[in-house]
Structures are given as C-alpha cells and as structure tokens.
C-alpha cells in the first residue's frame, strides 16, 4: 500500500489506480439480467476521469487548454457475466506511453472474490485544437501516466 | 462476354447527433458511439426477437473494439453501415462503419464478436437458420475491413 496515495503499489513495477464506486443497478442489466456490455465502456470513462481528477490537482484547467484528449480506439473483452448488486472495481494502469498518445488498461473485478469480469483498453491521443495535429501529452498528465506505466 | 457481378448488401441506419449526446467538448462522446452500435444491432435482429426465440438463444458479446477517426457534433447526419463476417457454427462478427451521410467521410469503425449460447445452461448453440440467412444477406470478407492498428487486427 502506498501511504501517500492509499493505492496499491507493486514494488519495483508500476502503480495501479482503483475506481471502486460502481454497483450494478437494474438500469445496467439486459434482457437476461446480466450487465449490458455498453456499461463497461461508460465505466471506462468514469475510471479514467476519476484517475485524472484525483491525481492531477489542476486537471480542469488542463482539459480546458487548447490541447484535447481524444479517444482513438477502445477494446473490451467480457470474461464473465455480472448481475444486479455486483460491486465492481476498475483497476487501471497505463502502457505504451508515447509523446502524443498512450494506452490505458482497465480490469473490471467483482469486488467480492476479486474475480476478473472484463478487460478493456483505450488508446488516448492528444490533439492541438487549432490545427487538429498531434500534440504532446500535457506535462501534468504525463507525470501521473508515467507513474502508472507498466513496462 | 460475362462480367462478374458482385453484390454487397449492408444494413443501414441513419442517425442525427443530438445535443444530449455530446459532452462539454461539444462532440459525440465515444461511449455514445458504442450505444449506437447496440441500437443498430438490436434493430437488425428485432423482427426475430420474440420471447420464444430469446428463451432458446442469447446473443452474447465476447469481444468489442472501435477506432475513432473523426469527431462529430450535434446536428451531424451520420450513417451506420453494418455487415456480418466470420460466420461460424456458434458465433459471428458484426462490423459497423460510421460515416457522415452527405460526404461518406469515415467517422469510426467498430467490430463485435458474438457467441450464441443457451440462456439456461450458457452452453454454445448452433446459429439458427433464420439468423444465418439474415446475416448471410449482409456478409462481407474480413479482408474488406481495415482497422489501422495492426495489433488490434491480430485480435481477430
């Protein structure tokens, strides 16, 4: 446990960030009572925003600059079904951090039993709003991204 | 002289991006693209989705991926072209090409793999003939679909 952040830290490797505020409600379920896949995409968004909001003190100021964070691609693999009442934790870390983009890995766990439910991946790219050309990841974001980078 | 005739059909869905679907950055958010993927899929299969059918066959999403190529804003008229590929005994893929209706400029490309399972015992079931026929009408080859990311392509 990292005393500064309260997050799990694996010595010698990388940090991981946990977003554990998800409970499956009826609105998340499909015809058969299982979590509809769409929700995992939405929860990926929550987890990555919570990551930045918690770890970057001036995150709101950063995102209002002229350099925009854009989702280039997303992937999801569902391993097990989850149902109403399941409490889900999303554990995220970064990988393949480049100058203008990086990837975020999302692992969704059923908190009871720590069972892996689904795996997600997003590539986030940064663009200059004025020119639409790739732009460097803002320094404030890159700092925390690198701390959580799995190499 | 005989000319080879190639007929490809797709399932087409038209959508106008509403203000409610955009976020503070004034673009259609990535999650709302995925929402449209499921809307299009559900509509395509809707005619056969009666309780008797659903009691025997569950269409389960196993894998999903999407690439975003351009952003779009409220008021944009978009066209989603859906095709089927990789038809197998108990599963198939659906691919979705999002484009600006007027210009046909690409917005995004998505692909989902479905497994057909028995909802009671979660075991694989063979694709019913009715589903096979429906998918066959919009089938294309994987080679026609071009994701930019090579590693993503390996996933298939």
């Amino acid at each position: 446990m990292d005393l500064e952040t309260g997050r799990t830290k694996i010595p010698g490797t990388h940090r991981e960030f946990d977003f554990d505020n998800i409970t499956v409600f009826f609105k998340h379920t499909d015809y058969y009572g299982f979590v509809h896949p769409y929700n995992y995409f939405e929860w990926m968004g929550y987890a990555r925003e919570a990551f930045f909001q918690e770890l970057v003190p001036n995150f709101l100021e950063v995102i209002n600059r002229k350099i925009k964070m854009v989702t280039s691609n997303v992937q999801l693999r569902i391993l097990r079904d989850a149902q109403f009442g399941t409490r889900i934790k999303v554990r995220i870390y970064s990988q393949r951090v480049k100058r203008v983009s990086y990837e975020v890995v999302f692992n969704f766990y059923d908190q009871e039993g720590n069972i892996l439910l689904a795996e997600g991946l997003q590539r986030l790219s940064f663009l200059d709003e004025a020119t639409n050309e790739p732009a460097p990841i803002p320094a404030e974001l890159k700092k925390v991204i690198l701390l959580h980078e799995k190499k | 002289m005989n000319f080879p005739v190639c007929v490809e059909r797709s399932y087409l869905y038209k959508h106008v991006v509403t203000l409610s679907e955009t976020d503070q950055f004034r673009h259609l958010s990535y999650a709302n693209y995925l929402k449209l993927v499921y809307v299009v899929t559900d509509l395509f299969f809707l005619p056969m989705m009666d309780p008797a059918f659903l009691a025997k066959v569950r269409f389960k999403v196993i894998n999903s991926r999407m690439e975003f190529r351009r952003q779009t804003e409220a008021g944009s008229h978009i066209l989603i072209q859906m095709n089927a590929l990789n038809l197998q005994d108990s599963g198939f893929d659906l691919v979705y090409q999002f484009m600006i209706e007027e210009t046909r400029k690409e917005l995004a490309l998505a692909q989902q793999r479905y497994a057909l399972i028995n909802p009671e015992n979660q075991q694989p079931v063979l694709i019913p003939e009715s589903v096979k026929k429906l998918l066959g009408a919009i089938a294309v080859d994987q080679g026609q679909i071009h994701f930019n990311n090579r590693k993503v392509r390996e996933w298939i």
Side-chain angles (χ1 to χ4, degrees):
Chain A
M1 175 73 74
D2 185 302
L3 293 177
E4 190 183 317
T5 65
R7 300 293 176 187
T8 304
K9 184 175 179 182
I10 304 166
T13 57
H14 62 282
R15 290 186 189 177
E16 293 178 331
F17 177 86
D18 285 350
F19 179 70
D20 54 11
N21 294 339
I22 298 169
T23 302
V24 177
F25 293 121
F26 292 133
K27 69 157 276 184
H28 301 123
T29 61
D30 66 6
Y31 184 89
Y32 299 98
F34 299 124
V35 171
H36 191 286
Y38 164 76
N39 293 292
Y40 289 104
F41 293 106
E42 198 166 74
W43 293 332
M44 280 195 232
Y46 294 174
R48 78 178 193 197
E49 287 165 29
F51 170 83
F52 285 124
Q53 190 178 31
E54 192 167 318
L55 300 180
V56 180
N58 63 333
F59 179 54
L60 275 178
E61 185 265 315
V62 173
I63 59 163
N64 284 320
R65 293 179 193 164
K66 295 212 179 310
I67 295 185
K68 299 299 172 193
M69 184 169 73
V70 172
T71 309
S72 305
N73 71 55
V74 296
Q75 292 176 56
L76 177 71
R77 185 186 299 262
I78 298 175
L79 303 168
R80 286 172 192 273
D81 287 315
Q83 295 176 287
F84 171 82
T86 303
R87 289 180 51 242
I88 293 179
K89 169 179 74 182
V90 190
R91 176 159 285 175
I92 71 176
Y93 59 86
S94 44
Q95 64 182 25
R96 298 200 181 95
V97 181
K98 312 284 184 195
R99 197 180 69 89
V100 301
S101 70
Y102 77 105
E103 288 180 355
V104 190
V105 175
F106 303 81
N107 288 324
F108 295 82
Y109 292 93
D110 179 345
Q111 291 195 54
E112 188 176 326
N114 214 36
I115 298 165
L116 186 61
L117 298 169
E119 299 171 318
L121 179 79
Q122 289 187 1
R123 174 151 279 274
L124 302 178
S125 303
F126 292 79
L127 300 178
D128 185 313
E129 190 183 46
T131 61
N132 233 24
E133 291 295 317
I137 302 173
E140 298 96 324
L141 305 190
K142 193 153 189 184
K143 184 179 164 189
V144 296
I145 291 166
L146 287 172
L147 272 177
H148 293 77
E149 184 186 16
K150 181 178 181 182
K151 292 188 181 165
Chain B
M1 184 182 288
N2 292 322
F3 292 91
V5 175
C6 176
V7 177
E8 178 191 295
R9 286 191 294 173
S10 306
Y11 182 72
L12 297 177
Y13 179 80
K14 293 188 184 187
H15 182 75
V16 179
V17 178
T18 62
L19 205 59
S20 310
E21 293 174 307
T22 60
D23 55 24
Q24 68 181 69
F25 304 106
R26 293 163 191 178
H27 296 126
L28 184 64
S29 63
Y30 82 88
N32 282 327
Y33 277 94
L34 271 308
K35 194 175 265 184
L36 286 170
V37 163
Y38 293 110
V39 167
V40 174
T41 310
D42 287 353
L43 286 171
F44 178 72
F45 288 113
L46 200 59
M48 60 177 48
M49 294 291 180
D50 58 51
F53 179 89
L54 293 171
K56 292 183 204 159
V57 183
R58 177 187 167 200
F59 287 18
K60 184 175 177 181
V61 174
I62 302 297
N63 281 318
S64 188
R65 61 172 168 163
M66 189 160 197
E67 279 182 8
F68 303 93
R69 296 181 179 170
R70 282 184 181 82
Q71 293 180 311
T72 186
E73 300 163 339
S76 296
H77 289 241
I78 63 177
L79 188 67
I80 303 166
Q81 178 180 308
M82 187 178 84
N83 290 95
L85 42 82
N86 299 329
L87 268 68
Q88 292 162 356
D89 287 341
S90 300
F92 57 89
D93 286 20
L94 291 174
V95 63
Y96 313 77
Q97 299 179 74
F98 286 64
M99 57 196 98
I100 299 284
E101 187 181 352
E102 227 175 44
T103 62
R104 294 299 205 256
K105 277 191 179 167
E106 277 187 328
L107 290 170
L109 180 62
Q111 187 164 346
Q112 300 214 108
R113 174 162 290 165
Y114 286 84
L116 270 59
I117 61 175
N118 182 317
E120 286 195 15
N121 59 23
Q122 309 303 315
Q123 294 302 306
V125 298
L126 295 175
I127 293 187
E129 278 307 309
S130 54
V131 175
K132 215 184 268 190
K133 193 173 168 184
L134 206 59
L135 293 173
I138 58 166
V140 293
D141 285 338
Q142 178 68 57
Q144 293 174 258
I145 307 300
H146 299 288
F147 280 88
N148 286 333
N149 185 327
R150 281 199 178 276
K151 281 206 179 287
V152 169
R153 218 180 284 155
E154 283 162 14
W155 165 73
I156 289 298

